[in-house]
Every structure is written in structure tokens, then in C-alpha cells.
Amino acid sequence: MTEVLSQDEIDQLLTAISTGDMDSEDTQQVADRKNIKIYDFKRPDKFSKEQIRTVSIMHETFARLTTTSLSAQLRSLVHVHVASVDQLTYEEFIRSIPSPTALAVINMDPLKGSAILEIDPAITFTIIDRLFGGTGEGSKVNRELSEIEQSVMESIIVRILGNMREAWSQVIDLRPRLGQIETNPQFAQIVPPTEMVVLVTLETKVEDVEGMMNFCIPYLTIEPIISKLSAQYWYSSVRRGATTENLNILRERLATIGVTMVAEVGSMNLPVRDVLSLTQGDIIRLQNTRVTDPMVLKIGNRPKFECRPGVVGSKVAVQITKKLEDVQQDDFEELTVEGEEE
């Protein structure tokens, strides 16, 4: 394969040829010279540039979700963004973080092994101060977390892990779980010191306090899905759209969402003065409603079924008698308007 010369080498060749200091044979020897790439066997590169880029894109989504969730929980201005994504040895990562610090060991189910989420002490104590009712001003506290403070940080980390699951959803249905919180980095030996890891550094700002969050993922943990960390797989998974698998996942998630259902006996309009004068024992006469009429079962604010009241055991219940989707929604709106006018 033809080697590409640098600009300096091209300039030297042109100068030498123009002055006659180099003949054609020397020129051919320079062109045939191969570039030598230094390779450190103690720190082998296990992640390609494309895979590092994909990891960065995933955690940019994670950073946006975390910014929103922390801002809502702390009722304060929070900003999180990806500063860098690097690969290094686990020993180098452990040496780069302060001690003591808030260091959460994360179980990366269904992947094997664990990862580490490290939160800078300045950010940790600012979050705790905000949740305890303080102003969240940064303080140069250098101590281990108390049991109460550790419990507070556990709830914060659990919320953050929910954002991580969503950010990884295009690659794998990750179910990260908080294992434990350590304060001394030396006690968190999840892999051998020489093992390669990918380190995602997130710049975090809470009001005027700035710090770092570091997410460390060992290569052994991420190895089973390393082939999915490519731009081709990433963008193809985004474009897949409504596949059967995605629809099944969507149905499973929607199945757990709570929906408000109301069985409506009837309705009527009353002036505010009449509402304020209501007392126990008063009778309210409903408009256009007879005793034999069915009740309307609403899901949210939309009528969906007709039903009749009854009991099941010791509980009040309704029995669905008719599905209202066969009737146009406009018909209900017309009935409502007519009832109001009367």
C-alpha cells in the first residue's frame, strides 16, 4: 500500500530535488519508508475510535436526562455534559480520583461484572445540602459520608441509573442496580489493576458549584456487546422504527402505567352560590339522567364503556355492558352540549 508522506517530508523532498542534493533512487527510498506506530503492550487499545464515539453519543443522552431529573429533584439549575471518553487501565482510574469520595459499585445486568460511578465530593455535598434544605453552596468538605448522607446519595444514584438504562436502550436492555457505596477507592477493586476500562467523564454543575462524575466500565463487562458499539449498528437501530420486538417492549412498558378510570353517574350545572350552600342531606337532581340509564366509564377524560353499578364481595364495582368506540366521539360532544343548553 502506498504510504502518505507528511507535509514536512514533501517539503524536504522538493527542496532536495530542486537543489540536486537527492537523486531519484534516494527519493524512492524515502517513499518506501514505512511509518512506525508505537504500541504499549501494558496498555493495549481495546476500543476503536468508532466504539469510543458511540459510547460518547450514548452518554450524551444520559447527560441530558440526568440534567433534567436532577434539576427537578434539587429544584436548582443543574447542567451535565460529556467532557471526554478515554480508555485507560483500572489502576490509572483509581489513582486519578480523590479519597474519600462517593464511589458507587453498579451491577450491570444482564452484562457480567460491575461498573463504577464516582461523584466528586464537591457535587456530592452540594446535592446533600440542597436536599436538606440548604442553599447548595459548595463547601470544601473532605470527609466520609455519614449513614444518613449515604442513604440520601443512594436515592440520587438510583434515579441516575434509571437515566442510564434509557440511554443504553438502543444497544441493550440494561438493568443497572446499585450494589454498594464505597468512600475509599482502594476498596473498590472490581477488576485487576492492569485491566483496560473505558472512562466517561461528565462535567457537572449545580448552581455555581462545578465538579466531575466519572463512569468507569471495564472491558470485560462491555465485551459481549462490543460489536454493537459501532456507528452502523447504532444508526440502523435508530432507524428500525416500529419492529415487532420494539412494539412488544413498548407494550410491556405501557402495561405497567397507571390509568385513572371514573364511573360517571351523571352531571349537571350549578351556580357557585348553590355549591357553597350545599349541606349534608341535600338532594341534587341530575340532568337528562334516569335511574335505569347506564353509567359511563371514562378512561382519563374520554368515555370508553357503558356500565352498571353493583358489588363484588364487600367492594363496590361496575360491570361493563357496552363498548362505546362504535359510537363517534362527536356524538358524545353533541349530547354534552345539548345537555348543557337545556
Side-chain angles (χ1 to χ4, degrees):
M1 186 177 77
T2 304
E3 296 292 333
V4 179
L5 301 179
S6 66
Q7 186 60 45
D8 291 339
E9 290 174 333
I10 294 173
D11 294 339
Q12 291 175 7
L13 280 174
L14 293 175
T15 303
I17 292 172
S18 62
T19 57
D21 294 338
M22 180 178 293
D23 55 21
S24 60
E25 293 181 358
D26 294 334
T27 305
Q28 184 65 32
Q29 291 178 0
V30 174
D32 292 340
R33 187 176 61 189
K34 295 182 178 180
N35 293 330
I36 299 174
K37 182 180 179 180
I38 299 175
Y39 187 84
D40 188 355
F41 287 92
K42 294 181 179 179
R43 293 187 54 187
D45 292 341
K46 294 190 175 182
F47 300 92
S48 67
K49 291 182 178 179
E50 185 181 23
Q51 291 164 350
I52 292 293
R53 174 59 181 163
T54 303
V55 172
S56 178
I57 293 173
M58 291 164 54
H59 289 88
E60 284 172 0
T61 302
F62 166 72
R64 289 194 298 270
L65 295 172
T66 303
T67 296
T68 303
S69 62
L70 286 182
S71 297
Q73 188 168 7
L74 301 180
R75 298 183 180 276
S76 180
L77 184 62
V78 178
H79 181 65
V80 182
H81 74 276
V82 177
S84 64
V85 179
D86 305 295
Q87 52 181 322
L88 65 164
T89 63
Y90 185 69
E91 183 180 16
E92 290 174 329
F93 163 66
I94 290 298
R95 289 182 177 179
S96 66
I97 58 179
S99 180
T101 186
L103 198 147
V105 179
I106 310 300
N107 298 322
M108 300 287 283
D109 294 336
L111 300 176
K112 296 180 180 179
S114 302
I116 284 182
L117 178 65
E118 187 266 334
I119 305 177
D120 188 274
I123 298 298
T124 298
F125 285 104
T126 298
I127 291 174
I128 292 172
D129 186 60
R130 286 289 305 176
L131 294 176
F132 285 175
T135 59
E137 295 181 357
S139 57
K140 298 180 179 179
V141 179
N142 188 16
R143 60 173 175 80
E144 296 185 357
L145 297 175
S146 66
E147 292 185 3
I148 295 177
E149 291 170 342
Q150 185 168 323
S151 178
V152 169
M153 287 307 299
E154 285 179 359
S155 64
I156 292 292
I157 293 171
V158 168
R159 177 180 288 248
I160 290 175
L161 294 183
N163 300 331
M164 187 176 297
R165 178 176 184 176
E166 185 171 348
W168 281 59
S169 61
Q170 295 293 343
V171 176
I172 186 175
D173 184 16
L174 188 68
R175 298 183 297 274
R177 294 182 294 105
L178 175 61
Q180 60 189 24
I181 294 181
E182 297 286 353
T183 55
N184 189 337
Q186 301 302 323
F187 294 157
Q189 295 295 333
I190 59 174
V191 290
T194 56
E195 179 64 31
M196 294 299 295
V197 300
V198 59
L199 179 64
V200 182
T201 302
L202 302 155
E203 286 188 2
T204 307
K205 185 175 181 181
V206 181
E207 290 292 347
D208 296 328
V209 180
E210 298 182 3
M212 296 290 184
M213 281 197 300
N214 294 305
F215 186 46
C216 172
I217 316 169
Y219 177 78
L220 293 176
T221 299
I222 207 172
E223 184 179 13
I225 60 169
I226 197 71
S227 61
K228 297 182 178 181
L229 299 179
S230 63
Q232 182 178 0
Y233 180 88
W234 175 265
Y235 291 115
S236 65
S237 64
V238 172
R239 291 194 301 266
R240 273 198 293 267
T243 62
T244 303
E245 181 181 356
N246 292 340
L247 286 175
N248 290 336
I249 293 174
L250 184 60
R251 288 192 184 99
E252 290 177 2
R253 293 182 178 178
L254 289 175
T256 60
I257 298 176
V259 178
T260 301
M261 299 179 66
V262 176
E264 186 177 282
V265 178
S267 63
M268 69 169 302
N269 294 326
L270 279 179
V272 175
R273 60 177 177 272
D274 292 344
V275 174
L276 295 176
S277 63
L278 289 174
T279 59
Q280 184 177 353
D282 289 347
I283 297 175
I284 300 176
R285 187 172 182 177
L286 302 177
Q287 293 178 345
N288 302 322
T289 303
R290 296 187 296 271
V291 175
T292 57
D293 289 345
M295 298 167 61
V296 176
L297 185 63
K298 291 184 175 181
I299 299 178
N301 294 322
R302 185 173 181 180
K304 297 293 288 185
F305 304 98
E306 286 185 356
C307 60
R308 59 183 182 182
V311 293
V312 176
S314 59
K315 296 184 179 296
V316 178
V318 292
Q319 182 182 39
I320 295 174
T321 58
K322 181 180 178 182
K323 190 175 182 180
L324 295 180
E325 287 188 348
D326 298 333
V327 183
Q328 296 295 327
Q329 181 68 19
D330 294 340
D331 297 339
F332 284 103
E333 293 176 357
E334 291 175 3
L335 288 174
T336 303
V337 172
E338 290 175 1
E340 290 177 354
E341 288 177 353
E342 292 177 1

